[in-house]
Amino acid sequence: MPTPLEQWVEEVARTTRPQRIVWCDGSEQQQQEVVEQMLRDGSTLRLNPQTYPNCLLHRSHPNDVARTENVTFICTREKDDAGPTNNWMSPAEAKQKVGGLFSGAMTGRTMYVVPYILGPVDSPISKVGVEVTDSAYVVASMRIMARVGKAALDRLGRSADFVPGLHSLGDLNPERRYILQFPEEKLIWSIGSGYGGNALLGKKCFALRIASWMAREQGWMAEHMLILGLEDPSGKVTYMAAAFPSACGKTNLAMMISALDSQGYRVWTVGDDIAWMQIGRDGYLHAINPEAGFFGVAPGTGPHTNSNVMAALRRNSIFTNVGLTPASEPWWEGMEIDPPEGLLDWKGERWTPGKGPAAHPNSRYTVPANQAPHISSHWEDPSGVPISAFIFGGRRARVAPLVYESFGWQHGVFVGAMMASETTAAATGAVGVTRRDPMAMLPFCGYNMADYFRHWLEMGKRIPHPPKIFHVNWFRKGADGKFLWPGFVENVRVLKWILERVQGKGKAAETPVGWVPTPDGLTLDGLEVSRSTMEELLRVSPADWTTELEDTKKFFEQFGRRLPPELHEEHSQLAQRFERRTAVLK
Ligand code: SAT
Ligand code: MN
């Protein structure tokens, strides 16, 4: 009797008609064969073997460089279950329309079967997925991003308990590009794109869209969050999970070199993008990182902003859409190396200064997590790490202060639900437009976000020791349009305050939006930021927040009666706190 997996693979092969089928065992030898295939495909080069051993540069199709949210669909029977913030297609229509595109799609190509585990191999929280793909780049990337091969097949055995994901490059025509999630049957179909989040199906499609649905069904959480441990001078490590939209610095925060290292504060990396969390026996929420690698944004990463990342990616890494130097080394803006003579841009064309950036703004590195210099010794603990703080954050030139603490869980959920951020190059579409992005999950929640907020509220009641909830904003700008806060290594100063608040210390002043550090609440020694800049960074401007409240109200309205009333309540309480404050000042 064939196993359920074998049956599915057979069925897929009947539709897509590949020339041959390769089962990926996760071995180094097979990885090298896949690399050879990539080199033959012509869009991949080997980098300098002396300075970047076992590293590749991949150039994707120029029309295929970011997630495409406009063609990403949640396919539930009821439209309302996908909710107003997701694109929706009925499963029947999706199967019919996109099924046709898969027909014969792998003719003449190799079909790779990639079994993988999301999460540590022996963790009860982990889950098995299987991606079938005709892209060698996807196979090589998946081997870095997840635990691929034999271990997954061993864990699965003859069971049908895996999430199947079917992927084909198709003809790479954006008109025939679809990223489909079928959460009711736990199935993923993706065609027409070879780009990261569209094509590495273990990442956003499974670990967030499908997993968020599973998490609600089963009483746990799948979140777009990095996980880090902050060590204090006593040697104790406190774990925090932080949600920021794509390309807002999650990888940099998770891998941060601390400006307060000499005072005994350092950061340990557990994960940089996704957290799966369950309530542990100790009453804390425990988080695992379902991934095994980092898919980080290259531009802006340099020895001063993040030398940890720079050290991590010197071997066994895949670079996508960065520039190339004549010495066969990767190059991007912000690497702190002058563009050398003969630099090629991300399309492989000769770069000249007037030509715009040499690296695509969403160019990426894919690096094994265990190469991070400060990887936590607990990053693969089967039971995960206990989370003491949640941090929400976005890119806001105005409005949100550098950091504030919510008044409690329900208010914290509201803070997450009203999150907003300026869009980035991580997804196609306009860049720099402020949009609401609750919990940084707008593009990744696999169901109606009103139900997602309800799930958050319910989880709060069930967690005996819930994380405290904070909001940060590294991106506030002054009147001159320049960033007020230096960011990067200095962000540890904010983490230290968060840690102190978790410990019941940390000086704070009450404002309508939450607890904000007092002027002497943050450790600022050794930092050149003027008092007036700090005041501006921590300022809560009633005028800005009035607009914010109006915009949030509109955002909430689209959920109609499905929105939990607790959020309306929090909304009017915030408005009232501002009104009271204004009345006092008058
Ligand atoms: O392309 S990914 O979705 O994996 C990265 C991101 O946009 O967060
Ligand atoms: Mn992400």
Side-chain angles (χ1 to χ4, degrees):
M1 266 287 281
T3 63
L5 171 58
E6 286 161 352
Q7 276 175 34
W8 177 66
V9 168
E10 225 169 82
E11 183 190 311
V12 165
R14 263 201 309 275
T15 311
T16 57
R17 297 196 289 278
Q19 190 174 34
R20 61 180 192 130
I21 301 178
V22 172
W23 284 72
C24 296
D25 58 12
S27 68
E28 186 53 41
Q29 189 204 332
Q30 204 181 46
Q31 177 81 346
Q32 288 315 317
E33 286 166 21
V34 171
V35 169
E36 291 303 323
Q37 183 59 49
M38 289 169 75
L39 298 173
R40 277 196 299 274
D41 288 347
S43 43
T44 305
L45 305 165
R46 249 188 228 291
L47 292 173
N48 188 320
Q50 268 81 46
T51 52
Y52 283 85
N54 202 24
C55 288
L56 303 169
L57 166 64
H58 176 77
R59 296 191 185 116
S60 70
H61 193 288
N63 78 23
D64 188 27
V65 293
R67 276 184 296 101
T68 41
E69 295 176 3
N70 55 325
V71 291
T72 300
F73 292 84
I74 300 297
C75 306
T76 45
R77 284 185 301 262
E78 297 292 328
K79 185 168 194 273
D80 238 15
D81 289 338
T85 59
N86 279 312
N87 297 314
W88 175 82
M89 220 193 282
S90 79
E93 186 193 348
K95 295 268 168 83
Q96 213 243 340
K97 194 163 168 181
V98 181
L101 299 178
F102 275 110
S103 176
M106 297 190 189
T107 309
R109 298 182 189 169
T110 301
M111 174 172 124
Y112 298 93
V113 181
V114 188
Y116 60 92
I117 301 178
L118 290 182
V121 170
D122 49 2
S123 167
I125 310 176
S126 300
K127 299 204 177 295
V128 174
V130 182
E131 174 161 1
V132 161
T133 177
D134 54 9
S135 159
Y137 167 75
V138 165
V139 177
S141 302
M142 280 295 284
R143 185 166 176 274
I144 297 176
M145 295 305 299
R147 291 153 179 98
V148 160
K150 189 172 174 312
L153 288 181
D154 289 348
R155 186 173 167 123
L156 183 62
R158 301 190 60 83
S159 154
D161 189 12
F162 65 96
V163 171
L166 170 58
H167 171 253
S168 171
L169 293 171
D171 61 5
L172 287 181
N173 185 331
E175 306 269 304
R176 289 184 283 279
R177 183 172 292 164
Y178 291 97
I179 322 298
L180 308 179
Q181 282 69 204
F182 301 86
E184 285 150 344
E185 49 182 309
K186 319 275 188 291
L187 169 71
I188 305 158
W189 277 9
S190 164
I191 190 160
S193 167
Y195 169 76
N198 286 343
L200 310 178
L201 303 187
K203 201 171 177 52
K204 309 296 182 173
C205 303
F206 179 175
L208 287 177
R209 297 196 190 100
I210 299 287
S212 61
W213 180 288
M214 290 175 161
R216 182 195 40 166
E217 274 180 348
Q218 301 163 5
W220 51 283
M221 301 173 91
E223 298 297 331
H224 191 204
M225 289 180 172
L226 68 90
I227 310 162
L228 63 79
L230 179 62
E231 182 179 330
D232 66 25
S234 76
K236 185 175 183 296
V237 179
T238 301
Y239 295 92
M240 309 175 178
F244 303 89
S246 302
C248 289
K250 283 199 298 299
T251 309
N252 279 321
L253 188 64
M255 290 175 82
M256 181 176 41
I257 303 245
S258 156
L260 300 178
D261 194 87
S262 61
Q263 295 185 30
Y265 292 90
R266 51 192 68 98
V267 169
W268 297 99
T269 312
V270 178
D272 83 321
D273 195 36
I274 299 172
W276 283 2
M277 295 173 282
Q278 289 192 2
I279 303 171
R281 271 198 291 268
D282 58 2
Y284 283 86
L285 197 58
H286 281 244
I288 62 159
N289 172 7
E291 302 189 282
F294 304 137
F295 184 62
V297 178
T301 312
H304 283 92
T305 57
N306 203 321
S307 61
N308 265 344
V309 176
M310 295 306 281
L313 44 71
R314 289 308 283 248
R315 58 202 153 92
N316 311 323
S317 301
I318 301 176
F319 297 86
T320 305
N321 295 336
V322 299
L324 180 69
T325 73
S328 286
E329 294 183 343
W331 192 94
W332 53 79
E333 281 70 22
M335 204 181 192
E336 296 171 41
I337 299 173
D338 288 337
E341 192 59 42
L343 177 68
L344 299 184
D345 71 8
W346 62 278
K347 293 181 185 163
E349 293 164 8
R350 191 64 185 261
W351 180 83
T352 49
K355 243 185 139 182
H360 187 277
N362 191 37
S363 56
R364 299 271 174 162
Y365 52 79
T366 309
V367 59
N370 60 16
Q371 289 183 196
H374 294 175
I375 192 78
S376 159
S377 57
H378 297 287
W379 87 281
E380 296 195 283
D381 276 8
S383 56
V385 294
I387 300 295
S388 300
F390 276 155
I391 306 170
F392 293 126
R395 251 175 218 274
R396 298 302 300 274
R398 299 165 62 91
V399 189
L402 179 62
V403 58
Y404 65 98
E405 179 192 342
S406 69
F407 295 121
W409 184 271
Q410 180 174 306
H411 176 235
V413 173
F414 171 71
V415 169
M418 76 181 297
M419 241 172 90
S421 192
E422 292 151 24
T423 51
T424 69
T428 55
V431 168
V433 180
T434 302
R435 70 169 183 184
R436 308 239 74 94
D437 188 350
M439 284 84 171
M441 282 289 277
L442 183 75
F444 307 121
C445 184
Y447 58 101
N448 191 317
M449 273 208 134
D451 301 349
Y452 170 78
F453 299 143
R454 164 62 52 215
H455 179 51
W456 265 81
L457 293 166
E458 295 304 320
M459 284 301 293
K461 294 180 199 148
R462 289 184 42 222
I463 309 168
H465 305 292
K468 284 193 165 210
I469 301 180
F470 298 82
H471 189 284
V472 301
N473 178 19
W474 316 134
F475 300 95
R476 193 142 166 176
K477 288 181 178 167
D480 58 1
K482 295 212 176 100
F483 290 119
L484 293 167
W485 179 247
F488 297 105
V489 302
E490 308 298 348
N491 290 338
V492 72
R493 299 171 190 274
V494 173
L495 297 185
K496 176 173 180 279
W497 183 79
I498 290 175
L499 171 67
E500 287 164 356
R501 295 297 293 171
V502 165
Q503 294 170 336
K505 304 180 286 187
K507 290 195 200 159
E510 191 174 345
T511 76
V513 303
W515 296 98
V516 173
T518 54
D520 60 342
L522 290 169
T523 307
L524 297 177
D525 37 311
L527 186 69
E528 275 173 37
V529 175
S530 71
R531 206 185 158 94
S532 64
T533 301
M534 267 332 286
E535 275 166 15
E536 180 58 21
L537 272 164
L538 295 172
R539 200 162 62 91
V540 175
S541 145
D544 282 350
W545 281 85
T546 306
T547 318
E548 194 70 3
L549 276 162
E550 282 162 16
D551 196 60
T552 304
K553 190 163 183 209
K554 270 196 226 115
F555 180 75
F556 283 171
E557 268 165 12
Q558 64 185 320
F559 298 102
R561 297 171 60 84
R562 211 152 161 158
L563 191 85
E566 289 92 327
L567 294 183
H568 287 305
E569 233 169 72
E570 289 295 335
H571 187 276
S572 53
Q573 280 173 16
L574 176 56
Q576 278 167 24
R577 288 195 296 268
F578 271 112
E579 277 160 27
R580 275 203 299 274
R581 148 93 69 102
T582 319
V584 171
L585 291 179
K586 273 179 192 156

